Amino acid sequence: MSGYRLTVGGTGINRAQPLRFTWDDEACFGVEGDSLASALMSCGKRTIARGFKYHRPRGIMTAGPEEGGALVTTGSGAGREPNAKAPCVELFEGLEASGQNAWPSVRFDLGQVNDLMGRFFSAGFYYKTFFGLTGRGTWEWMQFEKLIRQAAGMGRASHQADPDSYEYVHDFCDVLVVGSGPAGLAAAETCVAQGLDVMLVEQDFRLGGSLLATSETVEGQPAPAWLSDRLSALEGVRFLPRTTAFGLYDSNVVGLYEKVTDHLAAPDPALPRGRIRVVRPARVILASGALERPVAFGNNDRPGSMLAHAAQTYVTRYGVAPGRSAVVAANSDSGYRSAMTLAAAGIDTMLLDARDRPNPLAEQARAAGVQIHRGALPVEITGGRVTHGLRVGRRGRHGHARPEEILGADIVASSGGWSPAIHLVSHRGVKPVWHPELCCFLSGEPPEGVALTGAAAGQFSTEGAVDHARGTADQAVRALTGKRRRNAKLPEPGGWETPIQPLWEVTLRDRKLKSFIDPQHDVTTDDVRQAAREGYASVEHMKRYTTLGMATDQGKMGGVIGLALLAEALDQSIPATGITTFRPPYTPIPIGALAGRAKGHGWKPIRRTPLHAVQEEIGFRFLDVGVWKRGWWQKTRKTEYLDSAYVREATNVRERVGMVDVTTLGKIAVQGPNAGEFLNRVYVNGFGKLPVGKCRYGVMLRDDGIVFDDGVTWRLGEEEFLMTCTTANAAGVMAWLEELLQTRWTDLRVHVASTTDQWAGVAVAGPKAREVIAPLIADDLSNEAVPFMGILRTEMAVAGGRIPVMIARISFSGELAYEVYTPSDYGPAMWQALLPAVEAAGGSAYGVEALGALRIEKGHVTGAELDGRVTLEDAGLGKMASSKKPFIGNVLRKRPDMTRDDRPQLAHFIPVERGERFKIGAIVCDPEKVEGHGLGWITGVTVAPALGGKWLGIGFVSGGAAAWEGREVMIADPVRGSHVRATVHSPHQYDPKGERMHG
């Protein structure tokens, strides 16, 4: 042994190829084939991390994704990745890694003072903290919030943009095998031999699973030889190492995340860091293995405390000694194999078998040099920063341990049994079933097309796992090809030579031990019992109250122990207590991978209207509105900016004329003999008798009576309508209409089609709007020919000829206004014909900022007000609802709570002191009580040229403007530190009778 690197063994490493890496800026060395955990272990690094709450020192506890102790940060700068699990990080030349959640370092962390105040950080302390703050003022609460936010989390992500790229791949196969252990390889071999297209997924960077960490024989061959033969026989199989099956979804779609460059020192810039593979297999075989459980005993989180099979893995696969001397504490036969492996590597090893009965493996273990203590229990690890020894004991009369001697050791490797990795099948809603003889949860009946095999199906012997896998694969072959190869019944779960004995926790009668069951979240056994005492008897409530199995753990380490302790505290069985829900992803995947190539300008499609370029030519700035780029405001001179530009534009509309691009409004063609009846059912007001050549403003509700969307619908013919809806909700309205026709009203002869992209639109508004448009069109635009809400189909003169246009007399600004539509290809020509006429009349183009100012002045609602919690009456539209016809939402909108007089209703707000301003999102409060939820909220603000340049807000207040007209309210914005006194007014201050738009 050289340092902690063994001179022999190490089936997965190449000692001839050293790799340099840095740990907390210190140069260290590993070898090819190492994980970061094994490399740190070989360098003698014991304290790798700090606990979440108590900041106690933590070391390497496992050899796989269940790791809850050695959470580290890798990389630097924009490529920094926090909370990486050291056993899952593949070592490469130049890897940078560091500790986290500690200051100044993980070796000496001042945060460990929390351990001395542990009783203040017990289960639910954060809930109690919030509860205790409710009686304090806003300022005090905000100070506590800052401290809470600063303390939350562990590692710190980079604030810089992710420099890496990712991609999505859609894939198909006959059989997807998850796991490359003995069961996975046997299943894949059986399937590929019958000509099936097989994909084999392995989250590790080496294939072999448990075969990499064992020296036993498989079907008469040493494990390495059997592994080599199987891999040779799997010609044609698509292997995907470094790939995690993170989720199993409907129709047996499997989500995979494949690491592509994480293990490369200098990756090709053209390669993505990783890719999401969405696989649609005909059959799924889950050979995902099982996870070893720890035992809860005193100080079982100290560096040097680890799982028994993990210690075996580091010796066999990585050729690293976890320590110089070890105590293995187990309650099953697997502990014997781990102890024998450690002893064979020259580590002084003792085995504590919690079962007080003879074991067939005992003689073999003693021959390997293992000292065996039957009926012995681990009580408490001794030592400060690292493990120095283990106090052992025997079970007393009342279940508590009687402490005996202290065994010297720098490694305590525990094994409390095994939990089949059934997380993936649980994603499909399959309920786990408790198996009392094996002390674990097995999967219930899996979905059609999914099968579990090997240790995932409770087969805890290698021979049994292989036999079960071949039988499972035969069933898949028969289902896909009709071939029947064998009639053998699948073996029953089991495989232990000596039955396992439940061992969840070791306790003392005279004092409490600090025993951890979830090291990632610092959850102790006392936390679970406290949750039960305080009424959190449901497993899901206990999980959230204690944080057991939350975040990336999902119950891998201590989930079953926590359930067993909860069952004991409630004096009921484990099956009666139940199990928490496992949620995808099974192991963490980068958020960037979920976005794929959708980053930067690829984040979402950039949708430009046909009028984008002609607006850009005259100095428009653009704003993202829904999925579109919309003209925001026009910069006419170097010294002009948004705050003055939109006021200028809005003033032009009020006094002269302006034009704005309205192409982005959703446009849906509704056609068919029953189109009028269909719209009657959708809208609150009537459309069935709307004359051809007229349009009408309509509002539609959700089933629950809440306003869904609004817009103007044009009747172009007896069986043809053109519906317009809000820009942001266009897709939602289209989907809603299709759902209604396909699922509810299948008898209606109606067809709907999105025509948003078909039409380019411009609104021309202002007192001079008619005189601007009239000279350009072929037909009469007089008040008699085209009255308010009238429609005209005509042609417009443009450079080079004439183009077809549809004109509707609609006003969103409160002025005389027309919306002019033309096929999209003609859009630029229409704009260039209208703009000179508008400018000649003293007007200008305007953007959405001015459009918002005009609609706020007029009191028109948009999606800012119709936010999914507003009724017709709240928005001041109650009189629109027809009493002569049924429509969606009509019944539920009349519920008592929806018709209360004190519901927040639409109003205008003007600051008492001129010059003061408030912002969108501020809370409208009673001036005598500026706390709590308030009376309402602000949805829009603007400088209002029509009201003398006052600051004007629109929003909601309890009882509406009628209840508060002229009275003062306080508009509070504690987040941004603002409190403004304002008066409440009718939302229809500007031209309340509509004389300007009807003129």
Side-chain angles (χ1 to χ4, degrees), residues 124-137 141 144 148 536 545:
F125 77 93
Y126 32 85
Y127 293 114
K128 295 166 186 174
T129 300
F130 295 142
F131 182 78
L133 291 174
T134 55
R136 295 181 177 271
W141 203 101
F144 278 104
I148 293 168
Y536 294 88
Y545 195 61

PDB file of all heavy atoms in Angstrom, residues 124-137 141 144 148 536 545:
ATOM      1  N   GLY A 124     -38.570  21.229  11.417  1.00  0.00           N
ATOM      2  CA  GLY A 124     -39.556  22.300  11.295  1.00  0.00           C
ATOM      3  C   GLY A 124     -39.116  23.640  11.827  1.00  0.00           C
ATOM      4  O   GLY A 124     -39.949  24.539  11.968  1.00  0.00           O
ATOM      5  N   PHE A 125     -37.814  23.827  12.091  1.00  0.00           N
ATOM      6  CA  PHE A 125     -37.395  25.092  12.699  1.00  0.00           C
ATOM      7  C   PHE A 125     -37.690  26.277  11.784  1.00  0.00           C
ATOM      8  O   PHE A 125     -37.995  27.373  12.244  1.00  0.00           O
ATOM      9  CB  PHE A 125     -35.899  25.055  13.050  1.00  0.00           C
ATOM     10  CG  PHE A 125     -34.971  25.239  11.883  1.00  0.00           C
ATOM     11  CD1 PHE A 125     -34.497  26.496  11.531  1.00  0.00           C
ATOM     12  CD2 PHE A 125     -34.566  24.150  11.126  1.00  0.00           C
ATOM     13  CE1 PHE A 125     -33.644  26.660  10.463  1.00  0.00           C
ATOM     14  CE2 PHE A 125     -33.718  24.313  10.047  1.00  0.00           C
ATOM     15  CZ  PHE A 125     -33.251  25.558   9.718  1.00  0.00           C
ATOM     16  N   TYR A 126     -37.643  26.059  10.461  1.00  0.00           N
ATOM     17  CA  TYR A 126     -37.886  27.168   9.539  1.00  0.00           C
ATOM     18  C   TYR A 126     -39.367  27.542   9.544  1.00  0.00           C
ATOM     19  O   TYR A 126     -39.722  28.718   9.454  1.00  0.00           O
ATOM     20  CB  TYR A 126     -37.432  26.801   8.119  1.00  0.00           C
ATOM     21  CG  TYR A 126     -37.571  25.342   7.794  1.00  0.00           C
ATOM     22  CD1 TYR A 126     -38.777  24.834   7.331  1.00  0.00           C
ATOM     23  CD2 TYR A 126     -36.500  24.464   7.975  1.00  0.00           C
ATOM     24  CE1 TYR A 126     -38.917  23.500   7.058  1.00  0.00           C
ATOM     25  CE2 TYR A 126     -36.641  23.123   7.706  1.00  0.00           C
ATOM     26  CZ  TYR A 126     -37.848  22.641   7.242  1.00  0.00           C
ATOM     27  OH  TYR A 126     -37.992  21.304   6.966  1.00  0.00           O
ATOM     28  N   TYR A 127     -40.266  26.543   9.648  1.00  0.00           N
ATOM     29  CA  TYR A 127     -41.690  26.858   9.743  1.00  0.00           C
ATOM     30  C   TYR A 127     -41.960  27.688  11.006  1.00  0.00           C
ATOM     31  O   TYR A 127     -42.709  28.667  10.980  1.00  0.00           O
ATOM     32  CB  TYR A 127     -42.532  25.581   9.794  1.00  0.00           C
ATOM     33  CG  TYR A 127     -42.507  24.763   8.533  1.00  0.00           C
ATOM     34  CD1 TYR A 127     -41.934  23.505   8.507  1.00  0.00           C
ATOM     35  CD2 TYR A 127     -43.083  25.257   7.358  1.00  0.00           C
ATOM     36  CE1 TYR A 127     -41.927  22.752   7.348  1.00  0.00           C
ATOM     37  CE2 TYR A 127     -43.075  24.507   6.195  1.00  0.00           C
ATOM     38  CZ  TYR A 127     -42.494  23.251   6.192  1.00  0.00           C
ATOM     39  OH  TYR A 127     -42.485  22.509   5.044  1.00  0.00           O
ATOM     40  N   LYS A 128     -41.356  27.252  12.089  1.00  0.00           N
ATOM     41  CA  LYS A 128     -41.579  27.949  13.350  1.00  0.00           C
ATOM     42  C   LYS A 128     -40.988  29.350  13.315  1.00  0.00           C
ATOM     43  O   LYS A 128     -41.530  30.285  13.916  1.00  0.00           O
ATOM     44  CB  LYS A 128     -40.975  27.142  14.494  1.00  0.00           C
ATOM     45  CG  LYS A 128     -41.672  25.797  14.691  1.00  0.00           C
ATOM     46  CD  LYS A 128     -40.886  24.861  15.583  1.00  0.00           C
ATOM     47  CE  LYS A 128     -41.527  23.483  15.648  1.00  0.00           C
ATOM     48  NZ  LYS A 128     -40.710  22.524  16.383  1.00  0.00           N
ATOM     49  N   THR A 129     -39.878  29.504  12.578  1.00  0.00           N
ATOM     50  CA  THR A 129     -39.283  30.829  12.437  1.00  0.00           C
ATOM     51  C   THR A 129     -40.242  31.758  11.715  1.00  0.00           C
ATOM     52  O   THR A 129     -40.480  32.888  12.136  1.00  0.00           O
ATOM     53  CB  THR A 129     -37.951  30.739  11.661  1.00  0.00           C
ATOM     54  OG1 THR A 129     -37.056  29.879  12.377  1.00  0.00           O
ATOM     55  CG2 THR A 129     -37.319  32.121  11.511  1.00  0.00           C
ATOM     56  N   PHE A 130     -40.821  31.275  10.613  1.00  0.00           N
ATOM     57  CA  PHE A 130     -41.762  32.106   9.861  1.00  0.00           C
ATOM     58  C   PHE A 130     -42.977  32.447  10.722  1.00  0.00           C
ATOM     59  O   PHE A 130     -43.477  33.566  10.706  1.00  0.00           O
ATOM     60  CB  PHE A 130     -42.225  31.378   8.594  1.00  0.00           C
ATOM     61  CG  PHE A 130     -41.131  31.143   7.596  1.00  0.00           C
ATOM     62  CD1 PHE A 130     -41.077  29.973   6.860  1.00  0.00           C
ATOM     63  CD2 PHE A 130     -40.152  32.094   7.399  1.00  0.00           C
ATOM     64  CE1 PHE A 130     -40.076  29.754   5.945  1.00  0.00           C
ATOM     65  CE2 PHE A 130     -39.137  31.883   6.471  1.00  0.00           C
ATOM     66  CZ  PHE A 130     -39.090  30.722   5.743  1.00  0.00           C
ATOM     67  N   PHE A 131     -43.464  31.451  11.463  1.00  0.00           N
ATOM     68  CA  PHE A 131     -44.639  31.677  12.299  1.00  0.00           C
ATOM     69  C   PHE A 131     -44.337  32.743  13.352  1.00  0.00           C
ATOM     70  O   PHE A 131     -45.152  33.618  13.638  1.00  0.00           O
ATOM     71  CB  PHE A 131     -45.054  30.376  12.976  1.00  0.00           C
ATOM     72  CG  PHE A 131     -46.292  30.502  13.827  1.00  0.00           C
ATOM     73  CD1 PHE A 131     -47.546  30.525  13.241  1.00  0.00           C
ATOM     74  CD2 PHE A 131     -46.204  30.615  15.200  1.00  0.00           C
ATOM     75  CE1 PHE A 131     -48.678  30.647  14.012  1.00  0.00           C
ATOM     76  CE2 PHE A 131     -47.328  30.738  15.986  1.00  0.00           C
ATOM     77  CZ  PHE A 131     -48.582  30.755  15.389  1.00  0.00           C
ATOM     78  N   GLY A 132     -43.155  32.681  13.914  1.00  0.00           N
ATOM     79  CA  GLY A 132     -42.791  33.629  14.949  1.00  0.00           C
ATOM     80  C   GLY A 132     -42.611  35.041  14.434  1.00  0.00           C
ATOM     81  O   GLY A 132     -42.677  36.000  15.199  1.00  0.00           O
ATOM     82  N   LEU A 133     -42.419  35.184  13.116  1.00  0.00           N
ATOM     83  CA  LEU A 133     -42.191  36.510  12.554  1.00  0.00           C
ATOM     84  C   LEU A 133     -43.479  37.194  12.116  1.00  0.00           C
ATOM     85  O   LEU A 133     -43.462  38.362  11.738  1.00  0.00           O
ATOM     86  CB  LEU A 133     -41.265  36.398  11.330  1.00  0.00           C
ATOM     87  CG  LEU A 133     -39.811  36.003  11.623  1.00  0.00           C
ATOM     88  CD1 LEU A 133     -39.080  35.787  10.317  1.00  0.00           C
ATOM     89  CD2 LEU A 133     -39.111  37.060  12.443  1.00  0.00           C
ATOM     90  N   THR A 134     -44.591  36.460  12.128  1.00  0.00           N
ATOM     91  CA  THR A 134     -45.820  37.029  11.562  1.00  0.00           C
ATOM     92  C   THR A 134     -46.309  38.255  12.323  1.00  0.00           C
ATOM     93  O   THR A 134     -46.983  39.102  11.767  1.00  0.00           O
ATOM     94  CB  THR A 134     -46.943  35.981  11.542  1.00  0.00           C
ATOM     95  OG1 THR A 134     -47.123  35.464  12.883  1.00  0.00           O
ATOM     96  CG2 THR A 134     -46.596  34.848  10.610  1.00  0.00           C
ATOM     97  N   GLY A 135     -45.973  38.360  13.592  1.00  0.00           N
ATOM     98  CA  GLY A 135     -46.441  39.504  14.361  1.00  0.00           C
ATOM     99  C   GLY A 135     -45.538  40.714  14.234  1.00  0.00           C
ATOM    100  O   GLY A 135     -45.840  41.767  14.797  1.00  0.00           O
ATOM    101  N   ARG A 136     -44.434  40.586  13.522  1.00  0.00           N
ATOM    102  CA  ARG A 136     -43.498  41.701  13.414  1.00  0.00           C
ATOM    103  C   ARG A 136     -43.831  42.570  12.202  1.00  0.00           C
ATOM    104  O   ARG A 136     -44.593  42.193  11.325  1.00  0.00           O
ATOM    105  CB  ARG A 136     -42.061  41.163  13.294  1.00  0.00           C
ATOM    106  CG  ARG A 136     -41.614  40.419  14.548  1.00  0.00           C
ATOM    107  CD  ARG A 136     -40.187  39.911  14.402  1.00  0.00           C
ATOM    108  NE  ARG A 136     -39.729  39.267  15.625  1.00  0.00           N
ATOM    109  CZ  ARG A 136     -39.143  39.880  16.622  1.00  0.00           C
ATOM    110  NH1 ARG A 136     -38.951  41.188  16.573  1.00  0.00           N
ATOM    111  NH2 ARG A 136     -38.749  39.218  17.692  1.00  0.00           N
ATOM    112  N   GLY A 137     -43.209  43.688  12.152  1.00  0.00           N
ATOM    113  CA  GLY A 137     -43.429  44.602  11.037  1.00  0.00           C
ATOM    114  C   GLY A 137     -42.726  44.123   9.788  1.00  0.00           C
ATOM    115  O   GLY A 137     -41.899  43.204   9.811  1.00  0.00           O
ATOM    116  N   TRP A 141     -39.300  41.698   9.214  1.00  0.00           N
ATOM    117  CA  TRP A 141     -39.441  40.431   8.475  1.00  0.00           C
ATOM    118  C   TRP A 141     -38.440  40.377   7.326  1.00  0.00           C
ATOM    119  O   TRP A 141     -37.828  39.336   7.076  1.00  0.00           O
ATOM    120  CB  TRP A 141     -40.874  40.315   7.922  1.00  0.00           C
ATOM    121  CG  TRP A 141     -41.262  38.892   7.664  1.00  0.00           C
ATOM    122  CD1 TRP A 141     -42.031  38.094   8.441  1.00  0.00           C
ATOM    123  CD2 TRP A 141     -40.870  38.095   6.540  1.00  0.00           C
ATOM    124  NE1 TRP A 141     -42.154  36.850   7.881  1.00  0.00           N
ATOM    125  CE2 TRP A 141     -41.445  36.816   6.707  1.00  0.00           C
ATOM    126  CE3 TRP A 141     -40.090  38.313   5.406  1.00  0.00           C
ATOM    127  CZ2 TRP A 141     -41.278  35.778   5.797  1.00  0.00           C
ATOM    128  CZ3 TRP A 141     -39.901  37.280   4.493  1.00  0.00           C
ATOM    129  CH2 TRP A 141     -40.503  36.044   4.706  1.00  0.00           C
ATOM    130  N   PHE A 144     -34.991  39.330   8.483  1.00  0.00           N
ATOM    131  CA  PHE A 144     -34.910  37.895   8.709  1.00  0.00           C
ATOM    132  C   PHE A 144     -34.887  37.144   7.380  1.00  0.00           C
ATOM    133  O   PHE A 144     -34.195  36.144   7.239  1.00  0.00           O
ATOM    134  CB  PHE A 144     -36.086  37.414   9.567  1.00  0.00           C
ATOM    135  CG  PHE A 144     -35.879  37.629  11.031  1.00  0.00           C
ATOM    136  CD1 PHE A 144     -36.519  38.649  11.716  1.00  0.00           C
ATOM    137  CD2 PHE A 144     -35.024  36.796  11.747  1.00  0.00           C
ATOM    138  CE1 PHE A 144     -36.322  38.847  13.073  1.00  0.00           C
ATOM    139  CE2 PHE A 144     -34.820  36.983  13.104  1.00  0.00           C
ATOM    140  CZ  PHE A 144     -35.466  38.013  13.776  1.00  0.00           C
ATOM    141  N   ILE A 148     -32.307  34.250   6.145  1.00  0.00           N
ATOM    142  CA  ILE A 148     -32.786  32.921   5.770  1.00  0.00           C
ATOM    143  C   ILE A 148     -32.323  32.571   4.359  1.00  0.00           C
ATOM    144  O   ILE A 148     -31.852  31.463   4.094  1.00  0.00           O
ATOM    145  CB  ILE A 148     -34.324  32.863   5.876  1.00  0.00           C
ATOM    146  CG1 ILE A 148     -34.747  32.982   7.346  1.00  0.00           C
ATOM    147  CG2 ILE A 148     -34.870  31.561   5.278  1.00  0.00           C
ATOM    148  CD1 ILE A 148     -36.233  33.229   7.536  1.00  0.00           C
ATOM    149  N   TYR A 536     -47.309  15.374  12.525  1.00  0.00           N
ATOM    150  CA  TYR A 536     -47.009  15.115  11.114  1.00  0.00           C
ATOM    151  C   TYR A 536     -46.923  13.605  10.902  1.00  0.00           C
ATOM    152  O   TYR A 536     -45.853  13.042  10.699  1.00  0.00           O
ATOM    153  CB  TYR A 536     -45.729  15.841  10.704  1.00  0.00           C
ATOM    154  CG  TYR A 536     -45.907  17.333  10.741  1.00  0.00           C
ATOM    155  CD1 TYR A 536     -45.664  18.052  11.915  1.00  0.00           C
ATOM    156  CD2 TYR A 536     -46.382  18.019   9.638  1.00  0.00           C
ATOM    157  CE1 TYR A 536     -45.866  19.418  11.968  1.00  0.00           C
ATOM    158  CE2 TYR A 536     -46.589  19.391   9.683  1.00  0.00           C
ATOM    159  CZ  TYR A 536     -46.327  20.082  10.841  1.00  0.00           C
ATOM    160  OH  TYR A 536     -46.540  21.439  10.894  1.00  0.00           O
ATOM    161  N   TYR A 545     -41.686  18.222   6.580  1.00  0.00           N
ATOM    162  CA  TYR A 545     -41.413  18.858   7.870  1.00  0.00           C
ATOM    163  C   TYR A 545     -39.964  18.645   8.293  1.00  0.00           C
ATOM    164  O   TYR A 545     -39.331  19.535   8.871  1.00  0.00           O
ATOM    165  CB  TYR A 545     -42.365  18.306   8.921  1.00  0.00           C
ATOM    166  CG  TYR A 545     -42.429  19.118  10.194  1.00  0.00           C
ATOM    167  CD1 TYR A 545     -42.850  20.438  10.177  1.00  0.00           C
ATOM    168  CD2 TYR A 545     -42.080  18.557  11.415  1.00  0.00           C
ATOM    169  CE1 TYR A 545     -42.924  21.184  11.338  1.00  0.00           C
ATOM    170  CE2 TYR A 545     -42.145  19.289  12.589  1.00  0.00           C
ATOM    171  CZ  TYR A 545     -42.559  20.605  12.539  1.00  0.00           C
ATOM    172  OH  TYR A 545     -42.637  21.342  13.698  1.00  0.00           O
TER     173      TYR A 545
END
